[in-house]
């Protein structure tokens, strides 16, 4: 009785348990409760990893490269400022460990093969060049026959006239140091007085004259005193003082560099060796970076190649660095630190090129969680006016943080030469002891271009 | 004394309080770095000359800092007692030399007699401890508990 009245009270629309209407779809099997995950705000390792994952997802999901860079460098904390031009002893070993770079002495092999063909072309006497260009080209093509590199020989067949370029370089040098009347340089400003303007003049005239041979140079952009910045994490440390004491933090680095000159191009230079090649070992240094000495500061985390993201010339070609007065050779010789002279060139080359190539990679959307899929190659020339050292850098990996470096077998590679003098001395309107090899290497650097062009 | 001018006779000798004390670094330092406590009046140039001329040690670089001694301890009269300040110098050696602070208190090798005596002593102490504790089957309950 009671059950019948209850049924009527429920009404005709209510369905009793035993009266399931056939044909109605069963509800989708979604979980009744939200997933059980770690907290976001707790002071625990699980919470920290969840916050990191959310940050990584935000950066991955960013629509534009500018947004990615903004999120990447948003959180400001004290970081080590790495100076490419430093007087610290054995700085290049430390810099190689910070940037996971292998240093290979000498220039990469493709440059050597092209060098032989161009040198053979240039070495045939310039006096007879005008009447017999047709004879020179086959001679140049035959000389590197055993080298088995048909492309550079064919590419160098319109050969480069070293005599012309040598006269250009000597003109620039004499103009700056002999013909032009200059007052005495201000104290500790010797480098801005003569070698600086000479380098600018040399590079701009050489680039202009070689742009006929190298169409990439014709489309390039030459920056005067640009700024190059890069910010990255490498390794971990425990915070010692302050309200965040005891927490594990990544070690942050920032490079702020001002090369003297820079050439940016719209197309990327070709890779020198495959992405996963292993050409040596990276030095491992157990000590804290502050023992180098390196100091911490907190300021804007900037990533910049010399132009903003929208610029079409977003790949790097060559940088030119001028060493300051503080790091001149005479000072090292006076303090009996002759081995540190080369260290200065190497540390400048490695740090500046790492910052530039890594910033170029970030401009293309890669970062430490999204590693590069193709290697980024750039070149640099470090000089103090008379001595020139050449560097070529290939960036194979950006994943240097403590998490991503665990399973990362790739290393960045830097080829570098020792410093060689371009000339011996300038007197009475003559340049004595001009070194053709250095000029040749400079010309080869400027002529470097992707294979399609 | 007459006023001294360059080239004149040196009539006075100055004997400044320059001392250097080699210390073990509190935090690990790179292999070519040696840590000293030096007199507060010494400069980096003074430290370099001191090491190079008196001890013939090639010095590549010197960095100094002044360690402030705290003033927080109090004596029996509630006056603050200051620990003295001192200057610390980090000297990087030249010509690729390295230095490791030696272990001043190495553990001496024990001969067979002392080793067997130590073993015997340890076993004896263990037996004494077991006698003091009660039956392990009682699970730590004291022996006065029970019927």
């Amino acid at each position: 009785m009671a059950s019948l009245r209850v049924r009527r009270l429920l009404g005709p629309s209510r369905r009793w348990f035993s009266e399931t209407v056939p044909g109605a779809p069963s509800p989708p099997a979604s979980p009744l409760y939200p997933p059980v995950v770690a907290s976001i705000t707790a002071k625990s390792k699980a919470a920290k990893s969840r916050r990191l994952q959310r940050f990584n997802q935000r950066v991955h999901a960013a629509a534009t490269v500018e947004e990615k860079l903004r999120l990447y460098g948003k959180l400001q904390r004290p970081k080590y400022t790495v100076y490419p031009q430093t007087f610290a002893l054995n700085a290049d070993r430390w810099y190689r460990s910070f940037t996971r770079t292998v240093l290979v002495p000498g220039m990469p092999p493709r440059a050597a093969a092209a060098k032989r063909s161009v040198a053979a072309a240039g070495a045939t006497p310039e006096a007879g060049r005008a009447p017999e260009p047709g004879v020179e080209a086959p001679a140049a093509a035959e000389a590197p026959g055993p080298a088995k590199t048909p492309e550079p020989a064919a590419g160098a067949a319109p050969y480069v006239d070293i005599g012309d370029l040598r006269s250009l370089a000597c003109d620039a040098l004499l103009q700056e140091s002999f013909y032009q009347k200059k007052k005495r340089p201000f104290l500790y400003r010797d480098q801005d007085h003569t070698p600086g303007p000479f380098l600018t003049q040399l590079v701009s005239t050489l680039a202009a004259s070689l742009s006929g041979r190298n169409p990439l140079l014709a489309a390039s952009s030459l920056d005067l005193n640009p700024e190059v910045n890069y910010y990255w994490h490498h390794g971990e440390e425990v915070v010692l003082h302050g309200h965040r004491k005891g927490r594990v933090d990544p070690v942050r680095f920032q490079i702020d560099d001002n090369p003297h000159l820079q050439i940016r191009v719209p197309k990327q230079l070709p890779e020198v060796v495959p992405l996963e090649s292993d050409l040596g070992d990276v030095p491992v240094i157990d000590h804290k970076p502050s023992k180098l000495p390196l100091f911490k500061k907190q300021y804007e985390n900037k990533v910049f190649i010399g132009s903003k993201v929208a610029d079409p010339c977003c790949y790097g070609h060559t940088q030119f660095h001028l060493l300051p007065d503080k790091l001149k050779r005479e000072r090292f010789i006076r303090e009996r630190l002759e081995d540190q002279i080369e260290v200065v060139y190497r540390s400048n080359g490695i740090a500046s090129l790492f910052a530039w190539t890594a910033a170029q990679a970030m401009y293309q959307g890669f970062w430490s969680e999204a590693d590069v899929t193709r290697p980024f190659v750039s070149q640099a020339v470090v000089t103090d006016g008379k001595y020139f050292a050449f560097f070529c850098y290939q960036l194979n990996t950006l994943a240097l943080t403590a998490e991503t470096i665990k399973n990362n077998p790739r290393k960045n590679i830097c080829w570098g030469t020792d410093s060689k003098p371009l000339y011996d001395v300038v007197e009475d309107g003559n340049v004595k002891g001009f070194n053709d090899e250095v000029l040749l290497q400079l010309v080869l650097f400027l002529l470097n271009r992707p294979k399609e062009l | 004394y007459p006023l001294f001018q360059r080239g004149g006779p040196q009539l006075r000798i100055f004997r400044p309080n320059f001392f250097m004390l080699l210390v073990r670094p509190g935090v690990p330092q790179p292999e070519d770095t040696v840590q000293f406590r030096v007199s507060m009046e010494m400069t980096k140039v003074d430290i370099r000359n001191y090491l190079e001329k008196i001890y013939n040690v090639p010095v590549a670089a010197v960095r100094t800092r002044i360690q402030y001694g705290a003033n927080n301890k109090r004596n029996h009269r509630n006056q603050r007692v200051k620990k003295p300040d001192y200057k610390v110098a980090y000297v990087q050696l030249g010509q690729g030399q390295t230095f490791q602070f030696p272990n001043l208190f190495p553990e001496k090798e024990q001969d067979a007699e002392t080793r067997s005596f130590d073993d015997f002593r340890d076993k004896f102490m263990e037996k004494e401890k077991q006698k003091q504790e009660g039956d392990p089957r009682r699970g730590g309950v004291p022996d006065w508990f029970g019927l």
Side-chain angles (χ1 to χ4, degrees):
Chain A
M1 289 292 129
S3 62
L4 284 170
R5 215 180 299 140
V6 162
R7 267 200 173 172
R8 225 175 296 126
L9 276 171
L10 285 174
S13 57
R14 284 283 179 154
R15 248 177 261 121
W16 202 239
F17 278 129
S18 51
E19 294 176 7
T20 48
V21 175
S26 55
S30 64
L32 291 173
Y33 301 101
V36 177
V37 281
S39 149
I40 293 182
T41 51
K43 193 178 167 188
S44 67
K45 291 194 187 110
K48 175 123 194 237
S49 68
R50 194 143 170 247
R51 285 195 291 268
L52 277 176
Q53 273 170 27
R54 275 159 62 98
F55 169 72
N56 293 344
Q57 274 160 19
R58 271 183 78 189
V59 182
H60 279 301
T64 59
V65 170
E66 285 98 338
E67 182 63 20
K68 263 196 194 170
L69 290 177
R70 190 189 75 88
L71 287 173
Y72 178 71
K74 190 163 152 209
L75 179 62
Q76 281 190 19
R77 283 273 149 77
K79 58 192 174 181
Y80 288 109
T81 332
V82 175
Y83 292 96
Q85 293 174 336
T86 172
F87 49 78
L89 305 178
N90 298 326
D92 71 324
R93 253 192 97 228
W94 289 81
Y95 287 3
R96 271 184 284 151
S97 86
F98 296 152
T99 62
R100 209 170 147 114
T101 310
V102 172
L103 184 68
V104 179
M107 276 284 117
R110 54 136 182 110
K115 188 175 175 174
R116 221 175 305 143
S117 63
V118 175
T124 49
E126 294 95 53
R129 62 181 160 86
E132 304 175 36
V135 178
E136 313 291 3
E142 277 158 18
K148 290 267 183 241
T149 46
E151 295 106 319
Y159 70 98
V160 174
D161 189 0
I162 289 293
D164 247 354
L165 299 170
R166 191 196 303 144
S167 56
L168 274 177
C170 292
D171 279 341
L173 190 55
L174 287 170
Q175 176 69 18
E176 290 300 330
S177 43
F178 183 70
Y179 290 122
Q180 193 170 358
K181 202 164 159 190
K182 292 182 186 176
K183 295 191 185 149
R184 278 184 59 195
F186 193 72
L187 186 62
Y188 300 130
R189 293 236 206 274
D190 286 313
Q191 295 294 90
D192 300 335
H193 194 254
T194 311
F198 159 60
L199 189 63
T200 318
Q201 190 64 30
L202 177 72
V203 172
S204 31
T205 43
L206 279 181
S209 65
L210 290 172
S211 57
R213 309 226 177 280
N214 188 357
L216 195 66
L217 275 184
S220 67
S221 152
L222 179 72
D223 301 335
L224 300 172
N225 204 18
E227 202 185 322
V228 172
N229 311 79
Y230 185 59
Y231 168 75
W232 80 102
H233 295 182
H234 176 70
E236 274 186 340
E237 64 170 2
V238 180
V239 180
L240 290 173
H241 310 288
H243 66 281
R244 303 185 71 236
K245 182 172 169 180
R247 294 175 212 199
V248 174
D249 250 4
V251 183
R252 291 166 275 260
F253 296 92
Q254 169 88 34
I255 292 186
D256 298 314
D257 185 26
N258 292 308
H260 191 76
L261 287 167
Q262 177 173 291
I263 298 178
R264 275 177 301 114
V265 289
K267 293 214 179 74
Q268 197 180 348
L269 287 176
E271 66 172 32
V272 184
V273 287
L275 193 59
E276 304 278 346
S277 37
D278 187 1
L279 295 183
D281 282 321
V282 178
V284 172
I285 299 184
D286 290 328
H287 302 100
K288 285 169 64 168
S290 56
K291 309 287 175 217
L292 172 56
L294 218 54
F295 298 99
K296 279 196 170 182
K297 212 160 62 153
Q298 178 173 325
Y299 56 104
E300 191 202 348
N301 300 330
K302 202 164 165 191
V303 177
F304 195 62
I305 63 165
S307 61
K308 294 195 183 171
V309 184
D311 194 297
C313 292
C314 54
Y315 294 105
H317 189 266
T318 320
Q319 268 184 343
F320 293 85
H321 295 267
L322 191 63
L323 291 182
D325 277 294
K326 214 193 267 193
L327 303 173
K328 51 187 181 192
R329 284 182 112 90
E330 293 85 28
R331 181 178 157 263
F332 283 114
I333 293 170
R334 204 178 345 123
E335 299 189 357
R336 279 174 287 146
L337 291 169
E338 286 88 6
D339 42 342
Q340 299 297 321
I341 299 176
E342 288 306 318
V343 165
V344 163
Y345 287 92
R346 285 201 292 260
S347 63
N348 196 356
I350 291 173
S352 304
L353 281 174
F354 170 75
W356 204 27
T357 46
Q360 287 166 43
M362 285 210 83
Y363 270 33
Q364 302 305 313
F366 301 109
W367 59 298
S368 46
E369 302 290 326
D371 211 355
V372 293
T373 49
R374 59 185 196 274
F376 283 75
V377 173
S378 288
Q379 301 165 135
V381 177
V382 183
T383 174
D384 71 343
K386 189 169 157 193
Y387 289 83
F388 283 72
F390 299 93
F391 294 91
C392 178
Y393 197 94
Q394 173 164 328
L395 185 86
N396 294 328
T397 175
L398 273 182
L400 301 172
T401 58
E403 276 291 315
T404 48
I405 209 174
K406 273 184 216 157
N407 302 325
N408 188 11
R410 299 191 204 163
K411 299 169 195 164
N412 304 322
I413 308 171
C414 182
W415 288 267
T417 63
D418 285 340
S419 55
K420 295 193 188 86
L422 180 65
Y423 59 92
D424 278 336
V425 72
V426 175
E427 48 181 57
D428 296 339
N430 291 325
V431 175
K432 300 239 165 73
F434 196 87
N435 191 350
D436 272 347
E437 290 176 7
V438 173
L439 187 61
L440 196 63
Q441 184 64 276
L442 190 58
V443 163
L444 281 166
F445 261 27
L446 288 172
L447 285 178
N448 200 1
R449 59 185 175 276
K451 294 198 180 72
E452 306 86 55
L453 286 178
Chain B
Y1 288 103
L3 192 67
F4 175 78
Q5 278 146 346
R6 192 149 52 137
Q10 188 180 354
L11 300 171
R12 289 192 276 181
I13 297 178
F14 296 96
R15 290 167 58 237
N17 182 20
F18 280 1
F19 66 86
M20 289 186 69
L21 178 70
L22 221 190
V23 294
R24 177 194 294 280
V27 283
Q29 296 281 343
E31 293 81 28
D32 58 345
T33 307
V34 192
Q35 190 167 335
F36 292 93
R37 284 192 194 184
V38 300
S39 151
M40 291 279 272
E41 289 85 22
M42 281 178 90
T43 63
K44 291 182 185 180
V45 180
D46 289 330
I47 293 169
R48 183 189 289 264
N49 289 340
Y50 189 104
L51 285 175
E52 280 181 345
K53 298 207 167 127
I54 303 178
Y55 291 97
N56 285 330
V57 172
V59 169
V62 182
R63 297 188 291 276
T64 58
R65 67 177 176 93
I66 295 189
Q67 177 62 52
Y68 166 74
N71 199 6
N72 299 331
K73 287 260 156 74
R74 304 238 170 193
N75 61 7
H76 59 282
R77 292 158 151 207
N78 208 26
Q79 293 163 337
R80 274 177 297 172
V81 175
K82 176 158 172 77
K83 293 186 177 153
D85 302 333
Y86 54 91
K87 189 180 261 197
V88 181
Y90 301 92
V91 174
Q92 279 187 303
L93 303 172
Q95 287 158 29
Q97 292 183 6
T98 59
F99 179 78
Q100 188 67 28
F101 195 86
N103 186 5
L104 298 172
F105 307 104
E107 291 198 0
K108 275 185 283 208
E109 271 191 27
Q110 292 175 333
D111 48 332
E113 279 185 41
T114 34
R115 243 178 282 138
S116 61
F117 177 67
D118 280 338
D119 289 338
F120 177 72
R121 193 180 50 189
D122 291 333
K123 281 191 195 128
F124 181 71
M125 296 305 289
E126 267 188 54
K127 273 190 216 142
E128 285 283 324
K129 259 199 218 158
Q130 276 175 5
K131 272 187 221 164
Q132 293 258 331
E133 293 162 5
D135 192 355
R137 293 174 291 182
R138 280 173 68 87
V141 177
D143 51 355
W144 46 260
F145 188 82
L147 301 167

